[in-house]
Amino acid sequence: MARKLNFVFLVVIAVTALLQSSVAQTNFQVGDALGWTIPSSVSTYSTWAANKNFIKGDILVFNFTTSQHTVAKVSKADYDSCNPNNPISIQTNGPATVTLNETGAQYYICTVSTHCSFGQKLAINVSAATSSAPPPSTSPAATPTPAPALAPAPTPSRGPATYIVGDALGWNVISNASVAYQNWASNKTFFVGDILVFNFANRTHNVAEVTKQNYNSCNTTNPLSLNANPPVRMTLTKAGEHFFTCTVSGHCSAGQKLALNVTGSTTATPPSSATSPSSTTAPPPSTTATPPSTTTNPSVPSPTSGVTPPPPPSSATSLRVTGLCATFLSIVLVFLN
């Protein structure tokens, strides 16, 4: 009998230890919907990380288009100076996953061109995993009180969006370029404050904003603005039609040109203030922008960007030990019989 009691005691200790050692593992989508890209502000990713608690064993998911960005783990000195030459580790295929397997400060940058200096960098602090699970509540369950019905909150205005022109194609001379760039723009709604990013190799292209007349005739002698240092970031500061070309000889006529229409406001229409269930709210006016007409013949399908859809975010994937506990309890019952 004493041997059986000793065995039961050891089993109870083992099960308790297993329950206390179970921890939660969280997947973080870096930047959330923005993904891993050139942000509109150098503080974007530090703001994203500020209200999050990173634990050893958690996973960072960097969503980006392969060949457009990278994820490199670097030292603090290289993070501060945006030095991409001595990475601790580097991943070039998106989406990239990084398991946080050590505690302390960790630093990540994009090593492509000047992306880091534009704010594509992330610094986080990783804490040790907690080892104890909270005890179960012993108080009787209270009857929940139904919450009063609330009127729906107004739809918030979206912030400025950043668009990579052509996605994986970048800003280049390609087959059917004019059709490709117009197809790229046709399913997007651009607002004042949004940002266009033109990616191209240095000294091979440039970005000129021109009038509609010069756009149609590929006259590049009098641009409204001209930028030649990649990546070129163009903030859409006013509503209406905008026209962009490359002024390098023959590139515009080969189709390296983009026309788009910018909507003036991102403010959503507030809902009706009436609280009666029978009252209805008129739908907001359509914000779909109609792209300006071009001289090309549409019908070529838009090229895909090659972005792998990000995995659905996981709030906390628990490592459960229920089956193991059941096995131990079965062994206890056998020895007690």
Side-chain angles (χ1 to χ4, degrees):
M1 181 64 182
R3 291 181 60 186
K4 288 185 178 181
L5 290 176
N6 288 338
F7 180 78
V8 171
F9 179 71
L10 292 175
V11 169
V12 171
I13 291 177
V15 171
T16 302
L18 286 171
L19 288 173
Q20 290 182 337
S21 64
S22 63
V23 296
Q25 181 187 74
T26 304
N27 286 359
F28 292 98
Q29 310 290 325
V30 175
D32 294 328
L34 175 65
W36 182 240
T37 187
I38 301 173
S40 58
S41 168
V42 293
S43 63
T44 294
Y45 289 110
S46 59
T47 301
W48 172 83
N51 63 348
K52 293 175 176 58
N53 185 25
F54 300 98
I55 304 296
K56 182 178 179 181
D58 287 347
I59 295 174
L60 301 180
V61 180
F62 295 80
N63 288 310
F64 61 93
T65 303
T66 300
S67 79
Q68 292 293 311
H69 305 287
T70 64
V71 178
K73 184 177 181 181
V74 296
S75 65
K76 185 179 188 302
D78 288 344
Y79 172 87
D80 292 335
S81 62
C82 282
N83 177 15
N85 298 323
N86 300 294
I88 299 171
S89 63
I90 186 168
Q91 297 189 57
T92 58
N93 294 326
T97 58
V98 175
T99 301
L100 304 177
N101 53 18
E102 59 182 338
T103 58
Q106 298 188 31
Y107 304 91
Y108 303 91
I109 67 172
C110 176
T111 63
V112 175
S113 187
T114 56
H115 292 197
C116 175
S117 61
F118 279 117
Q120 196 173 357
K121 56 197 298 189
L122 172 67
I124 62 173
N125 192 59
V126 181
S127 304
T130 55
S131 60
S132 60
S137 173
T138 57
S139 59
T143 303
T145 302
L150 299 177
T155 304
S157 304
R158 73 163 175 83
T162 299
Y163 294 98
I164 307 298
V165 175
D167 294 327
L169 296 175
W171 182 239
N172 290 294
V173 176
I174 57 175
S175 177
N176 295 318
S178 60
V179 175
Y181 288 120
Q182 289 314 115
N183 283 340
W184 173 83
S186 64
N187 63 347
K188 296 174 177 62
T189 302
F190 301 96
F191 292 101
V192 170
D194 287 349
I195 298 170
L196 302 179
V197 179
F198 295 79
N199 287 320
F200 56 91
N202 195 23
R203 299 182 180 179
T204 60
H205 306 285
N206 57 43
V207 181
E209 185 168 7
V210 296
T211 63
K212 181 177 182 180
Q213 180 179 358
N214 288 342
Y215 172 88
N216 290 333
S217 62
C218 280
N219 179 0
T220 59
T221 57
N222 296 298
L224 303 175
S225 66
L226 180 64
N227 295 275
N229 296 320
V232 172
R233 296 170 60 87
M234 301 284 291
T235 301
L236 303 173
T237 58
K238 60 181 180 179
E241 294 180 331
H242 292 257
F243 303 91
F244 304 94
T245 70
C246 177
T247 67
V248 175
S249 179
H251 288 197
C252 176
S253 58
Q256 193 176 1
K257 55 198 297 190
L258 171 67
L260 53 86
N261 196 51
V262 179
T263 299
S265 174
T266 61
T267 305
T269 303
S272 170
S273 59
T275 57
S276 171
S278 60
S279 63
T280 58
T281 301
S286 173
T287 58
T288 304
T290 303
S293 61
T294 63
T295 58
T296 58
N297 295 322
S299 66
V300 179
S302 174
T304 57
S305 63
V307 181
T308 303
S314 170
S315 58
T317 306
S318 299
L319 308 178
R320 303 189 183 278
V321 295
T322 306
L324 192 56
C325 294
T327 302
F328 274 115
L329 292 176
S330 299
I331 296 174
V332 171
L333 292 175
V334 170
F335 272 83
L336 290 176
N337 290 333

